[in-house]
Amino acid sequence: MSEDKLLPLRQQIDAIDAEILALLNRRAQIAQEVGHVKAETNAPVFRPEREAQVLHKVAERNPGPLQGSDVQTIFREVMSACRALEKRVTVAYLGPAGTFSEQAVYQQFGHAVESLACVSIDEVFRAAEAGTADFGVVPIENSSEGVINRTLDLLLQTTLSISGEVSIPVHHSLMSKDGTMDAVTRICAHSQALAQCNAWLNQHYPLLERQAVASNAEAARMASEDSTVAGIAGEIAAQKYGLQIVSAHIQDDPHNRTRFAVIGRLQTAASGKDQTSLVLSVANKAGAVYNLLAPLAKHGVSMTRFESRPARMGAWEYYFYVDVEGHADDDKVIKALAELKQNAAFYKLLGSYPRSF
């Protein structure tokens, strides 16, 4: 009886799938025409502001029952596949495969890209600077452990711009070859992951050795080859390396997130929901920082992040990393940045880009 009821529903789904397939290929054909026009004008294949607008729009128009975030995931992959018909973008990231950095690549670009795993953040920058990769994805800050200092230092030095950001939840899992801790004598992970799971580890495995390694994916690889090792990594790493989850979501902060910057040569146009990143410094005198930032308040520009890093000049001077709402081409941001630049001893615009979802 149940099959009698299911059959007409399945037939309806099959018919809808055929319509969806036809529409997807129609969209792909138009995307190919767009690619031909872009080629004539040498326009970039990847337009993060345009894709951000599409994703915002589908979420706003979505009537349900699908969740808005799920609809955005579907459309992101559709855009990725259509973009690949023009050119398959190469994206460098901090490897190996299975890291949260790789996850950030796919969240920003979809899966129809060439991903290039790099051994360090420095190598990600070098790949994008040399043109080996069209873009790089680098971690910039974690909600519980703070900023990634090496990324900030390289942003100061590079000629690349930030063209996007990705914020992803960081859920750590403890994993081993057989899903138990019976033979395990040490737990391996990136130093930040160990710090983010410190309280949980102290409670459950206080006597086991902890070893910091180059990445969580490397810890997963080690665990896949050695039954005495347990790794801490994301679930994607467990799948890639054939591991079993011992305990999931072991991070001390349940809301733990990492923010990534997308770097490259692209100067991103305004999307309507943007952020601008700067590096600044001022003379070491009373009121200098207050006077430096006063133009933001004067012109109604909201500052969303303020970080300091030593200038390494031996004189207790600092660089300030600042994020503000809006695009550098927005009227009020133009006015604020013009005055701010006059007050700064050092000024570098790192880029304007769509805010992460």
Side-chain angles (χ1 to χ4, degrees), residues 276-280 293 296 303 305-306 320-324:
T276 296
S277 294
L278 313 160
V279 185
L280 311 166
L293 300 176
L296 298 178
M303 182 171 62
R305 187 171 72 103
F306 183 88
F320 301 103
Y321 292 76
V322 178
D323 290 345
V324 300

Side-chain angles (χ1 to χ4, degrees), residues 183-257:
V184 172
T185 59
R186 59 186 168 132
I187 298 173
C188 297
H190 187 274
S191 58
Q192 281 220 339
L194 290 173
Q196 292 163 17
C197 303
N198 184 61
W200 190 93
L201 291 172
N202 286 343
Q203 179 181 354
H204 292 87
Y205 299 104
L207 301 181
L208 287 183
E209 177 190 353
R210 300 173 200 175
Q211 180 183 347
V213 295
S215 69
N216 291 342
E218 173 62 13
R221 185 197 64 77
M222 293 169 63
S224 71
E225 298 176 354
D226 186 346
S227 60
T228 67
V229 173
I232 295 175
E235 291 184 5
I236 187 174
Q239 296 168 8
K240 283 183 177 291
Y241 293 99
L243 297 171
Q244 303 296 316
I245 302 295
V246 178
S247 294
H249 294 198
I250 67 171
Q251 67 279 355
D252 300 332
D253 178 4
H255 306 295
N256 189 22
R257 300 185 72 86

Side-chain angles (χ1 to χ4, degrees), residues 24 42 47 73 85-86 93 96 215 237 247 269 299 309 313:
L24 285 173
N42 202 30
R47 293 291 300 272
T73 298
L85 294 174
E86 300 178 49
Y93 70 96
S215 69
S247 294
H299 293 283
R309 285 283 292 149
M313 298 176 183

Side-chain angles (χ1 to χ4, degrees), residues 249-292:
H249 294 198
I250 67 171
Q251 67 279 355
D252 300 332
D253 178 4
H255 306 295
N256 189 22
R257 300 185 72 86
T258 294
R259 177 173 167 244
F260 296 83
V262 180
I263 55 172
R265 300 287 179 191
L266 182 66
Q267 300 293 324
T268 308
S271 72
K273 296 182 179 180
D274 300 295
Q275 183 166 273
T276 296
S277 294
L278 313 160
V279 185
L280 311 166
S281 69
V282 291
N284 187 9
K285 61 182 181 181
V289 175
Y290 174 83
N291 292 330
L292 172 69

